[in-house]
Amino acid sequence: MPCVGKDEVRRHREMTWMRVDRYFTGEGDDTQAVHQPMMCQHCANAPCETVCPVLATVHSTDGLNQQIYNRCVGTRYCANNCPYKTRRFNWFDYPRADELQNLALNPDVTVRSRGVMEKCSMCVQRIQEAKAEAARTGVPLVDGDIRTACQQSCPADAITFGDLHDTESAAAGLARGPRAYSILTELNVDPGVTYLADVRNRPQHASGERHGQ
Amino acid sequence: MDSDHANERVIDGDKSLSDVTHDIFSPLETRGSGRWWAGFLLAVSALLLGLVAVGYQIVTGIGTWGLNRTVGWAFDITNFVFWVGIGHAGTLISAVLLLFRQKWRTSINRAAEAMTIFAVMCAGIFPLIHMGRPWLAHWVFPYPNPRGSLWVNWRSPLLWDVFAIGTYFTISLLFWYVGLIPDLATARDRAKGLRRHVLRFFALGWTGSARTWSRYEIACVLLAALATPLVVSVHSVVSADFATAVIPGWHATLFPPYFVIGAVFSGFAMVLTLMLVARKVMHFEEYITERHVGAMCKILVFTGTIVGLAYMTEIFTAWYSASAYEQFLFKNRAMGPMAWAFWIMVSCNVISPQLLWLRKVRTNLGLVFVLSLVINVGMWFERFVIIVTSLTRDFLPSAWAGYTPTSIEIATLIGSFGLFFTAFLLFCRFVPMIAASEIKSVLLRRRAGDDRPLAAGETQPPADADARRAA
Amino acid sequence: MSRRIHVALYTSEEKLLGALRASRKAGLTVLDVMSPYPIHGVDDLVGIPRSRLPAACLAGGLLGLGLALWFQYWTSSVDWPIDVGGKPWNSLPAFAPVAFEMTILFAGLATIFGLLLRSGMLPGRSGVIRDLRVTDDRFALVVTRPDAAVTDTELAQLWRDTGAVEHRDIVEREGDR
Ligand code: SF4
């Protein structure tokens, strides 16, 4: 992911695939921030997919919303139509901006050229690698074999990745649980990401509406 | 059917057939007036400015525009919708008014159709240059390819646009050209030397034979009958770019009729602007009369009022839907950070055309000219408001962003006007701007013949001639 | 085989129509009429059959509609079905706009090319132009005498009576037309 510099960030052109939204509850001294990581929700009825004229963003058989960089012509219609606004556009030729920085690029991830859209891929390179490995060795994949980068790096272990079709998986279990909810479900985009409401034990005098997290 | 309108005067002055030929064709055989050259140089400079801006943008990237992660479209698609809308009046004048046998259209249909073609050209540029990688634009066409064949996404409104705009451009161009053939033949038969050879090529061997005329008239009615639903479908498809999206302010079933009427409104305003200039510069006051201006003004009041009704319907729907996002959107449009654009839109499009109810205003050509410009500005802002205010603040507040255009975007807009006026001025100089053969067919004196002068006060052709024509 | 044809020029639609009737009554065969604008009512007098362009237009439209529907269906459901936004392979309602546009396009092209081909109008064709002024303010009547049924003097009289401003005789060889 390129670092675009503060001028570009000021122009709302940051390239992060995952942002952390903050919502506030309470007032005055009692103000509390609740955090909600927001990335591509891999909607089953993805509104971004229907609008792409050239089939550059489509669904995979795994249920991922894929962005096909080398097919993308850059109409940005998908980003407009994403209700979560999680898509990021390559406004300039970022990868070539700094030769040295290029050396630090992840060799498993495609380098995106100018004029194409990108977004959270749910670490598709890890999924594909694990699937290929499983096919080669003949050992079936089990829950937890694939960990996304965000999951790996979260110290609070707030992110769980897994196959929702596998009813035994940890992710499927959490998604069935009483705390599970999705965002903007009224749009019927059927997001693939489920959030868990944060249940806190707060002192009686705490006022204000609670926003789940 | 024809006789109903036979005594309706289309043009002023007591013209004979050869007067019409002379008036329309002789300006084409000169070197062009000083005013024409001044206008042409201005238009070409604007076009060059636009070319530089687009060149710079394509070399450097879409980042040269003011867009951001939240606002993915702004000037680009606003200009696109604006220009497509401008184009629609030409088709309406040539096709719908032909089907309704409104004879006053004959003075302006040629120029209005030319306007359609140039406006669609200007419009077509924007979806192309708004792409991040415009050099791959041919991927929107479904052609067999070594990638599978990987076809296209027929469900995308942008793809519908490709087909709608492509069809619209093709049919408009051919319709215009077919209408032009008899006049090209007239120009050919007046010309000598190289000019004659060139015109001979384009006139396709037109002889004026009754057999050809018979077929020709049927073809024109058929094309008009095809162009009418086409023009409605084109702006409906353009509106589907927004109506099929999920974004509040875009996602509205009202959009197709709302966009079509808006297109008619803006298109007629542009026709009026151009006609008022052209009749002065090209000395066509007797052909484009105050009655023509008056008729177009009435269309403007009518369509402007419907546009106002559409704005109110949108707001009512938002309130009635009880959807928090929709309601927020309209509050934000009228009172948020971009409220200025909303109020420019309302005052230019809804309030200003109401002045045209007054006869005094309609007959004051200077004022009509100013109002037509105001409406053009207002309709540009309408598209801007729909596209940009809806995008800036949608569902999740963390994603909200503003939008400020850059000089490159403004230069591109100016460039599109440059292209439009360059093409239009070239058209005025090289193509008969008024459909001479059609004017001749509605001339009151045509049956009397050149050798018999029209008696004073005589406006009605002999009744028996009418009866024959009606047969 | 060659034939003699006669061209008379008039200054108005009304005179032309009068001459047209008179020459038919006199037993001349009307070959054609040339005018700067379409004259309603000459079709029957000249004996022009009804144009089949509407049929060409309809056929073009149906072809366009059929091709567009079939092609959209084939590319998205048969050749390479792809999951796009959870929509069915055959998203028929979404195929309607393109099908409509193709209907119009094909119908329009069929009409225009039908017109041009049937009228022999192609770029660079010169056509048989009877008088340069028929695209300005003259109306030309082109007739021929079947088996010399009408004498030269009768013909001259006819031209005079109908108010022809000019007339001339042309010998046309086969293949000229
Ligand atoms: S979250 Fe946005 S980008 Fe991701 S699938 Fe849904 S609409 Fe597409």
Side-chain angles (χ1 to χ4, degrees), chain B residues 83-122:
Chain B
W83 281 118
V84 179
I86 293 294
H88 281 15
T91 317
L92 273 152
I93 288 174
S94 61
V96 180
L97 297 186
L98 174 77
L99 295 182
F100 284 113
R101 306 201 179 247
Q102 294 289 311
K103 291 202 169 168
W104 59 272
R105 63 178 268 287
T106 47
S107 292
I108 52 170
N109 69 340
R110 170 75 45 77
E113 283 171 42
M115 186 193 80
T116 295
I117 292 164
F118 305 142
V120 175
M121 276 161 45
C122 291

Side-chain angles (χ1 to χ4, degrees), chain B residues 288-308:
Chain B
I288 303 164
T289 66
E290 296 192 0
R291 288 187 304 281
H292 291 102
V293 175
M296 286 195 277
C297 286
K298 286 177 194 162
I299 294 182
L300 283 184
V301 189
F302 175 64
T303 49
T305 309
I306 301 185
V307 165

Side-chain angles (χ1 to χ4, degrees), chain B residues 142-294:
Chain B
Y143 60 93
N145 55 65
R147 293 177 285 275
S149 289
L150 177 58
W151 303 105
V152 291
N153 182 12
W154 301 104
R155 300 165 188 91
S156 164
L158 268 190
L159 198 86
W160 305 345
D161 275 347
V162 171
F163 282 83
I165 301 292
T167 302
Y168 188 44
F169 184 70
T170 314
I171 296 291
S172 302
L173 186 68
L174 290 172
F175 192 15
W176 182 71
Y177 190 73
V178 165
L180 202 53
I181 295 172
D183 284 357
L184 286 175
T186 307
R188 171 196 66 192
D189 295 345
R190 285 168 62 92
K192 292 194 179 58
L194 178 68
R195 195 179 152 81
R196 181 176 166 78
H197 278 286
V198 174
L199 286 164
R200 206 187 76 137
F201 181 81
F202 289 108
L204 311 183
W206 177 268
T207 59
S209 151
R211 293 171 198 282
T212 314
W213 273 125
S214 160
R215 244 180 246 122
Y216 176 88
E217 286 218 288
I218 291 183
C220 284
V221 172
L222 286 175
L223 287 175
L226 291 174
T228 307
L230 176 64
V231 72
V232 173
S233 83
V234 170
H235 230 59
S236 302
V237 165
V238 168
S239 79
D241 283 346
F242 310 106
T244 64
V246 295
I247 303 302
W250 283 15
H251 183 75
T253 44
L254 174 67
F255 267 25
Y258 165 27
F259 269 52
V260 170
I261 206 75
V264 176
F265 181 54
S266 66
F268 268 89
M270 188 58 113
V271 173
L272 207 45
T273 313
L274 291 179
M275 293 304 118
L276 287 173
V277 174
R279 73 194 286 271
K280 271 273 168 291
V281 176
M282 309 291 290
H283 303 295
F284 281 150
E285 281 93 344
E286 287 167 323
Y287 291 89
I288 303 164
T289 66
E290 296 192 0
R291 288 187 304 281
H292 291 102
V293 175

